[in-house]
Structure formats: structure tokens, C-alpha cells
Amino acid sequence: GARVKAGEHLLVLSNDNLDLQILNSEAELAEKENLLRNTLISMEQQKLSLEQERLQLAMEVERTRRTAEAQRALYADQLIAREEYLRAEEDHRLAQQRLQLVKLWLWFGTDLLGIWYGIDPCVAVVIGNNGTDAHYGEYGLDTFRDGCCNGAW
């Protein structure tokens, strides 16, 4: 045999299948990272869209409130029909309910259980009947624990 010196390579092992598996795994990882990035962008776009809708609905609630108050005064003075007054009140309640629905979507994200945002699914959300008595965070929601996981709610 030939003489070898210390530190000299005697044999180089290679595994083409392993190299191919590593390349495939890296490609899959890059694809999944890209999918995640696109999903996050989509979620942010949806959040911005919902925030814009929330602002528009907040204006609609204010507009319908003013209209309902005016109709109430006119009805009290018997200057308009009861149906016109009731329609204005109903429009105002509908605007409040639509606003509260958008607030819920903003609060919980697209997953209404709030899992993405780390919110315990056992937290119940209470929205006031008239839309004015809910006061929690920037979205005006009042939350409390009530044993909902046991079917109590």
C-alpha cells in the first residue's frame, strides 16, 4: 500500500439520496415560509379593511342616532307618522348591531374563538342591547368569565 500522512483523508463518503432529501426539505420549508408570509399579509389586509368598515359604521351609527332623535321629536309633536319614527329607530339599532359585529371580528380576528390572539375560548363577550353600554378596550367590548365551557351560557 501507499503511505499516508497524518490528517490525510483516506476515504470520502457521500450520500446523494441524503443530499437530495435535504434539498427537498429546504425547498418545502421555503415554500411554507412563503405561504405563511402571504397568509400574514392577507390577515393584515383583512384587518385594515375591517378597521375601515368599523370607522364607516361608527359614522353611520352617529348619523342614524341623530336621525332617530329628530324623528322622535317630530313624532312626539305628532308631525310624522309612527312608522317613520319606528323606521328611524330600527335603522339606528341595525347600525349599532353591524358596528358591534365588526368590532367582534376585529377583537377576535378571523377565528372567533380568538385562538390566534391567545384569547381563552371560555371568555364570553357581552354586547349591550343598545350598543352603548359595552366598554372594553379599543373595540368597546365587555368580557367576563361565566363557565361557558360547561355549557352554562
Side-chain angles (χ1 to χ4, degrees):
R3 290 202 171 253
V4 291
K5 296 178 184 171
E8 190 176 339
H9 294 284
L10 299 176
L11 177 66
V12 176
L13 298 176
S14 70
N15 185 338
D16 293 336
N17 286 336
L18 180 60
D19 291 341
L20 186 58
Q21 284 178 343
I22 290 171
L23 286 174
N24 284 336
S25 294
E26 288 174 346
E28 286 178 23
L29 177 61
E31 182 180 342
K32 289 179 181 180
E33 286 175 339
N34 193 36
L35 179 63
L36 176 61
R37 194 174 8 264
N38 289 340
T39 301
L40 292 173
I41 289 170
S42 176
M43 289 173 60
E44 191 61 30
Q45 288 172 337
Q46 182 181 15
K47 184 178 177 184
L48 290 173
S49 176
L50 284 170
E51 185 62 32
Q52 182 179 13
E53 187 174 353
R54 184 190 67 81
L55 293 172
Q56 290 172 339
L57 287 171
M59 292 287 267
E60 183 180 338
V61 165
E62 183 59 27
R63 243 182 261 122
T64 58
R65 182 194 59 76
R66 286 193 312 265
T67 301
E69 286 177 359
Q71 297 290 55
R72 187 178 308 117
L74 291 172
Y75 177 67
D77 293 339
Q78 297 180 346
L79 297 173
I80 61 170
R82 183 173 190 268
E83 182 61 28
E84 288 183 64
Y85 158 67
L86 291 176
R87 191 174 307 127
E89 290 288 330
E90 291 165 351
D91 289 346
H92 180 57
R93 278 195 306 276
L94 177 62
Q96 288 174 322
Q97 291 169 352
R98 289 177 58 209
L99 177 59
Q100 291 301 327
L101 182 61
V102 169
K103 287 179 178 181
L104 276 174
W105 277 102
L106 282 166
W107 177 256
F108 287 110
T110 55
D111 178 357
L112 282 180
L113 294 178
I115 293 169
W116 287 343
Y117 295 98
I119 298 170
D120 187 334
C122 291
V123 174
V125 177
V126 175
I127 302 173
N129 291 336
N130 63 6
T132 60
D133 57 351
H135 307 287
Y136 187 84
E138 66 181 295
Y139 298 118
L141 301 174
D142 191 14
T143 62
F144 68 97
R145 292 193 178 277
D146 68 349
C148 64
C149 289
N150 298 324
W153 63 290

